[in-house]
Amino acid sequence: MKKWYFIAVLTLVAAVVLSGCGAKSSNNNAGGEAGNGGEDVTYMFATDAAYAPMEYMDKDVISGFDIEFLDLVMEEAGLKHEVKHTGWDGMLEGVKQANEFQAGISSISITDDRKQTYDYSMPYFESINVIMVKEGSDIKSALDLKGKKVAVQSGTTADILMTGIMGEGNTDLKKMDSNAVALLELDQGGADAVVADIAIVRDYIKNNPDKKYVEVSDTTNFTPEYYGILYPKGSDLKAKLDPAIKTVIENGKYAELYKKWFGEEPNTANLLNAK
Amino acid sequence: MDFRFDIIWDYAPLLLKGTLYTIGISLSSILLGSILGLGVSFGKMSSRWFLRWPMQSYVNFFRGTPLLVQIYIVHFGLIPLLYGKTNAIIAAITALSLNAAAYTAEIYRAGIQSIDKGQMEAAKSLGMTHGQAMRFIILPQAIRRMIPAFGNEFIVLVKDSSLVALITAPEIMYWSNAMKAQYIRVWEPYLAAAFIYFILTYTLNKILGAVERKV
């Protein structure tokens, strides 16, 4: 009786694992066909539209810097596309299986761990993490955060950087579901600092002047990072879009869009030189 | 096969630590929730309106709103109000206990009310007080009937405790999410978490089965 149970459970787990993999191998073909199909193919992009101002839902329309940037690139490449809000997990799995989606765009930082599973476009956006603390705090650099309670959005590079500094498994590093909740954690005294993308921290400080928060930047421990478009391994879309991304950055359209969203000039030289 | 056991292995120590937290949080919540639930259910069955109405509202609120919302309210509202700042583990146990109390209250009530009225009348006609009748006649019979429902509630609670990952209580789902974030891979973290939860609930099921046979 007991053995019978155990075998049933194993079979169930194996079935789930295999169905995941099986779906992947058969669907790669579909992705390939879409790639070879010529002009009237509509490329499907997945996004997690919950990261304003990069990508977010404006009522029921997906909006944001990434989305408008993608419009420019696809126009430059002469390809049709659509963007669908799938959530983060849906995007990851959807792009990996490559049957419904051929790519994902969602402020996805390029890291080596992630490259093991996905391909990336050339970098299209430079960002850096900064620390947000209360005015008069003794935190002056990222290393001062050791032994303090720090809130980050789980899965962001802020999470990865702070895990590196504070140690894997350290529960003083609070990996929250979103930046909004991380900021709330700081407001309610559960954290001494929030680490997040510079755009998000500046936006929050600007919109909440009464809370007396300040931005602490640490360019030694936090190095610039780059966002890329996410492709399944071996996608031929990279070869089509990288030249278009380069053109859009070089011909000034990128700078124009950047100024529209962030009110300042981008450092495009950094972007083009980044690996 | 495109399934990376190496990243699960990488996170195994954290998942193990998370499992201990899940067990700790679940056990505390089951215990506190059951004690609280007993009080709520007696309040709800009381003939005095000022006891009955608040307890009735309590049950309605906690059964009528999503647990996730309750967790957020406790974490960002109740605990900072009482404790001065947030604390994920205290908030997790508080929210899960309050929620479990509402469900266990209904289990107590259903169990007690399922015993035939004649039993109480018979006990009283033997000269027992209401309290004695409850203790010696009604409850021993009612508890037998409550056990399967309690078992169900406990298993649901263990699984629902995965929601407290969202307020950073460092349990199984929290580390599974961290694994997902680092490698942006979906299957490995979720299947690892599913496997651990299954082992936990399966074991709990076995223990409950043994208890049911004993009582």
Side-chain angles (χ1 to χ4, degrees), chain A residues 89 93 116 175 185 188 190, chain B residues 4 75-76 86 174 187 190:
Chain A
D89 291 1
E93 195 53 22
Q116 294 168 8
K175 303 171 184 226
E185 186 79 12
Q188 298 288 30
Chain B
R4 291 187 48 192
H75 183 64
F76 289 116
T86 63
Y174 181 76
W187 281 101
Y190 287 158

Side-chain angles (χ1 to χ4, degrees), chain B residues 54-120:
Chain B
M55 291 305 117
Q56 181 72 55
S57 315
Y58 178 92
V59 171
N60 285 343
F61 177 78
F62 280 95
R63 291 207 310 174
T65 56
L67 177 57
L68 180 58
V69 177
Q70 293 163 17
I71 290 170
Y72 275 129
I73 292 174
V74 169
H75 183 64
F76 289 116
L78 185 65
I79 298 298
L81 198 72
L82 300 176
Y83 182 71
K85 55 184 186 175
T86 63
N87 183 308
I89 292 166
I90 295 178
I93 293 174
T94 308
L96 289 169
S97 303
L98 292 176
N99 183 273
Y103 285 93
T104 52
E106 288 300 80
I107 296 172
Y108 286 118
R109 188 181 60 82
I112 290 168
Q113 290 183 348
S114 76
I115 305 300
D116 193 85
K117 275 203 171 72
Q119 300 273 327
M120 175 61 89

Side-chain angles (χ1 to χ4, degrees), chain A residues 18-31 96-99, chain B residues 2:
Chain A
L18 289 177
S19 69
C21 304
K24 186 195 172 247
S25 55
S26 62
N27 292 331
N28 262 357
N29 301 335
K96 197 169 131 210
Q97 295 196 355
N99 82 43
Chain B
D2 182 37

Side-chain angles (χ1 to χ4, degrees), chain A residues 172-238:
Chain A
D172 280 345
L173 178 60
K174 300 185 168 186
K175 303 171 184 226
M176 314 295 294
D177 192 39
S178 72
N179 272 316
V181 190
L183 294 164
L184 196 53
E185 186 79 12
L186 178 64
D187 283 346
Q188 298 288 30
D192 303 304
V194 162
V195 178
D197 278 343
I198 189 162
I200 287 181
V201 168
R202 286 199 175 153
D203 201 49
Y204 192 77
I205 292 176
K206 197 176 77 192
N207 291 325
N208 299 278
D210 51 312
K211 288 185 178 156
K212 304 260 181 285
Y213 286 124
V214 290
E215 165 195 331
V216 177
S217 63
D218 177 348
T219 46
T220 330
N221 295 297
F222 295 159
T223 46
E225 57 190 58
Y226 299 93
Y227 299 162
I229 297 173
L230 194 71
Y231 303 121
K233 273 273 177 216
S235 163
D236 55 354
L237 205 53
K238 179 178 169 62

Side-chain angles (χ1 to χ4, degrees), chain B residues 9 22 72 84 96 106 118 120 124 134 171 174 181 192 208 214:
Chain B
W9 191 241
T22 291
Y72 275 129
L96 289 169
E106 288 300 80
M120 175 61 89
K124 281 188 174 166
M134 260 301 174
E171 42 70 87
Y174 181 76
L208 288 164
K214 279 256 167 68

Side-chain angles (χ1 to χ4, degrees), chain B residues 4-21:
Chain B
R4 291 187 48 192
F5 284 102
D6 61 311
I7 67 173
I8 296 181
W9 191 241
D10 220 28
Y11 267 85
L14 291 173
L15 287 171
L16 189 70
K17 237 170 74 180
T19 306
L20 296 180
Y21 269 102

